[in-house]
Amino acid sequence: MPRELACSVHSRPNAMAIVDSLLKLMSAQGADVLVIPSTEPPWLEKRGEPRPLSMPALGRDMVDAMIEDLLDAPLRAQLAAGQPVEAVYETGDQSYAVLAEPRGDGPRLTLRHAGAEATVPSSPIATEPAAPSAFPMAPPDP
């Protein structure tokens, strides 16, 4: 069961400001899923269709900073041990299911409205299927 988490008071404003801005864009676009990889530009999923965002990849350091703010220490330790982890991020009026997955090129975050119907999204640059995940919104590896 995902843990409910609040943003740390020591959070990096830039990392969480980016997450919150991307979540607002997700809502404004009517998208179901936001995917934030380390080495690709973020993308939205709307009814299973990938919609790449016109922006550069955020990079491993920024995605790591987001993970530090979104996950508590035990979940970060699980992620560092190579296990995908799930959590819930609350923004005041919205709740999002969060999946953090370890990848060879850096971690990847997948966020969706908590309680939203699950679809199986795909990467806009996917070349092979992903390993099974307990999180129904996990896109395949790019």
Side-chain angles (χ1 to χ4, degrees):
M1 184 80 178
R3 299 179 187 185
E4 283 196 32
L5 303 172
C7 227
S8 163
V9 293
H10 304 292
S11 66
R12 296 177 190 138
N14 289 339
M16 290 316 297
I18 291 170
V19 170
D20 290 339
S21 294
L22 290 171
L23 289 172
K24 286 178 186 173
L25 178 64
M26 179 177 126
S27 291
Q29 296 288 319
D32 310 304
V33 179
L34 166 65
V35 181
I36 307 172
S38 293
T39 59
E40 297 174 48
W43 71 85
L44 300 173
E45 296 271 345
K46 188 171 182 177
R47 289 184 228 102
E49 293 293 321
R51 297 173 184 251
L53 299 177
S54 298
M55 64 184 293
L58 297 176
R60 186 178 196 137
D61 289 342
M62 182 57 71
V63 177
D64 282 339
M66 292 172 178
I67 286 169
E68 186 174 325
D69 288 343
L70 288 167
L71 304 178
D72 63 14
L75 290 177
R76 289 194 309 267
Q78 279 184 272
L79 184 64
Q83 299 172 6
V85 296
E86 297 177 31
V88 175
Y89 174 55
E90 302 282 340
T91 62
D93 61 341
Q94 295 287 324
S95 181
Y96 298 91
V98 177
L99 171 67
E101 299 173 280
R103 300 281 190 235
D105 58 355
R108 178 171 65 187
L109 289 169
T110 303
L111 295 97
R112 66 177 171 89
H113 289 284
E117 185 175 317
T119 59
V120 180
S122 60
S123 167
I125 7 185
T127 56
E128 59 186 73
S133 170
F135 191 83
M137 301 307 293
D141 283 337

